[in-house]
């Protein structure tokens, strides 16, 4: 099977000695037009991948900033098809790989095969399903990977080693390494035990390791440079989008500000 877009991205970055930078955006916050403008701007700033959150009424692990963004989108009556139609309008072949962060409940409601097929058709390159039941993981992985895209799995600091090995068996693309126990959000420092966990994971898999939850500043990248392959930033970006709904920024200003922030993170990861 040929490399997926995500695998090819990480391979190219590794050959260049760079880490991946993957920002997170909430689809439909404050509306899909703003989301699409932001995705285009992030592509222009040459981020490596873009994680797109599908709002859900009972999000798993997401902190208050991202939960609030989901609430705003859902209060505006955002539907899954609105996300698919919006992404379908983008030139996804010219953009970094898009990764859907989506609750298993949304896939189950539509039918896993139908959801995955439609998502791939509009341009998604991978899936992160934080509440994927363990007994469903292998079947979902077969469906996702059968479409030529990736199922990215999450591993937290509290995941037992034996459980982590089973998770890795159903993973492809990269491993989403949660840097801290608890919910997402910006933190002042990364826990020292994270380095040990990443070293252990490196001994168990050849998949790239991307660290998320609590990453927000360029200087945090340096301590991960020798132990991880990428960094994921969510709350620091979503908080800037929140300013639109609060009447504190226009869509154009927020998108430009996030673009400038993304450029600093790209510079840090691509040293």
């Amino acid at each position: 099977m040929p490399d997926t877009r995500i695998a090819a991205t990480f391979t190219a970055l590794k050959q260049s000695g760079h880490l991946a930078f993957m920002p997170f955006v909430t689809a439909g916050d404050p509306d899909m037009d703003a989301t699409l403008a932001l995705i285009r701007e992030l592509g222009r700033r040459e981020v490596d991948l873009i994680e797109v959150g599908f709002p859900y009424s009972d999000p798993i692990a997401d902190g208050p900033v991202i939960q609030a963004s989901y609430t705003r989108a859902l209060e505006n009556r955002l539907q899954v098809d609105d996300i698919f139609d919006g992404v379908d309008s983008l030139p996804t072949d010219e953009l970094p790989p898009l990764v859907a962060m989506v609750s298993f409940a949304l896939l189950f409601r539509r039918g896993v095969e139908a959801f995955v097929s439609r998502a791939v058709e509009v341009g998604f390159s991978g899936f992160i399903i934080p509440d994927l039941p363990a007994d469903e993981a292998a079947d979902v992985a077969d469906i996702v990977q059968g479409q030529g895209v990736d199922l990215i799995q999450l591993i937290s600091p509290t995941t037992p080693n034996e459980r982590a090995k089973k998770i890795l068996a159903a993973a492809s693309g990269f491993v989403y390494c949660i840097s801290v126990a608890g919910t997402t959000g910006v933190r002042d420092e990364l826990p020292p035990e994270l380095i040990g966990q990443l070293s252990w994971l490196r001994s168990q898999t050849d998949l790239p390791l991307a660290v998320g939850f609590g990453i927000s500043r360029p200087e945090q990248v340096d301590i991960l440079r020798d132990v991880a392959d990428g960094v994921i930033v969510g709350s620091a970006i979503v908080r800037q989008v929140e300013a639109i709904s609060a009447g504190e920024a226009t869509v154009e200003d927020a998108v430009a500000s996030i673009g400038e922030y993304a450029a600093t993170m790209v510079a840090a990861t691509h040293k």
Side-chain angles (χ1 to χ4, degrees), residues 14-265:
K14 185 174 183 179
Q15 290 172 348
S16 300
H18 296 161
L19 299 183
F21 172 55
M22 183 167 75
F24 169 95
V25 301
T26 293
D29 179 30
D31 55 41
M32 279 305 300
D33 285 344
T35 301
L36 300 177
L38 180 53
I39 289 173
R40 287 191 291 266
E41 173 67 8
L42 291 170
R44 191 177 73 83
R45 296 291 187 164
E46 299 185 338
V47 307
D48 300 297
L49 306 98
I50 302 173
E51 183 183 353
V52 180
F54 280 58
Y56 183 60
S57 57
D58 187 23
I60 306 298
D62 292 305
V65 173
I66 292 176
Q67 284 186 20
S69 73
Y70 281 10
T71 298
R72 289 191 297 272
L74 293 172
E75 286 178 345
N76 289 331
R77 302 185 181 278
L78 179 78
Q79 302 292 320
V80 168
D81 283 328
D82 297 330
I83 304 174
F84 285 153
D85 291 345
V87 171
D88 197 23
S89 73
L90 292 169
T92 49
D93 289 346
E94 301 169 16
L95 290 168
L98 302 181
V99 180
M101 168 72 92
V102 56
S103 168
F104 182 71
L106 294 179
L107 281 84
F108 184 79
R109 188 176 301 162
R110 180 166 297 213
V112 175
E113 290 194 31
F115 191 105
V116 170
S117 179
R118 178 60 176 153
V120 172
E121 180 184 26
V122 304
F124 281 97
S125 296
F127 298 85
I128 302 169
I129 309 172
D131 55 345
L132 179 63
D135 56 356
E136 301 272 2
D139 289 343
V140 173
D142 286 344
I143 292 170
V144 170
Q145 293 161 14
Q147 290 272 355
V149 297
D150 290 304
L151 178 64
I152 293 99
Q153 294 276 42
L154 294 98
I155 294 182
S156 79
T158 58
T159 304
N161 287 354
E162 289 308 308
R163 168 72 180 134
K165 291 177 182 178
K166 292 178 181 177
I167 291 172
L168 292 172
S172 65
F174 65 91
V175 181
Y176 191 133
C177 305
I178 300 172
S179 68
V180 291
T183 58
T184 59
V186 175
R187 290 172 169 83
D188 289 334
E189 58 185 31
L190 297 174
E193 60 268 21
L194 172 64
I195 307 302
Q197 183 197 41
L198 292 170
S199 297
W200 181 81
L201 286 170
R202 185 75 79 196
S203 73
Q204 302 297 313
T205 182
D206 293 329
L207 289 172
L209 307 177
V211 177
F213 288 41
I215 308 297
S216 62
R217 300 190 304 274
E219 57 267 28
Q220 289 175 306
V221 173
D222 287 335
I223 63 174
L224 294 172
R225 195 169 303 282
D226 295 329
V227 291
D229 302 288
V231 298
I232 302 165
V233 173
S235 295
I237 289 171
V238 174
R239 183 174 284 114
Q240 294 191 60
V241 176
E242 184 179 3
I244 302 169
S245 296
E248 298 168 356
T250 64
V251 171
E252 292 76 11
D253 287 345
V255 167
S257 176
I258 292 168
E260 291 169 6
Y261 167 75
T264 68
M265 293 299 293

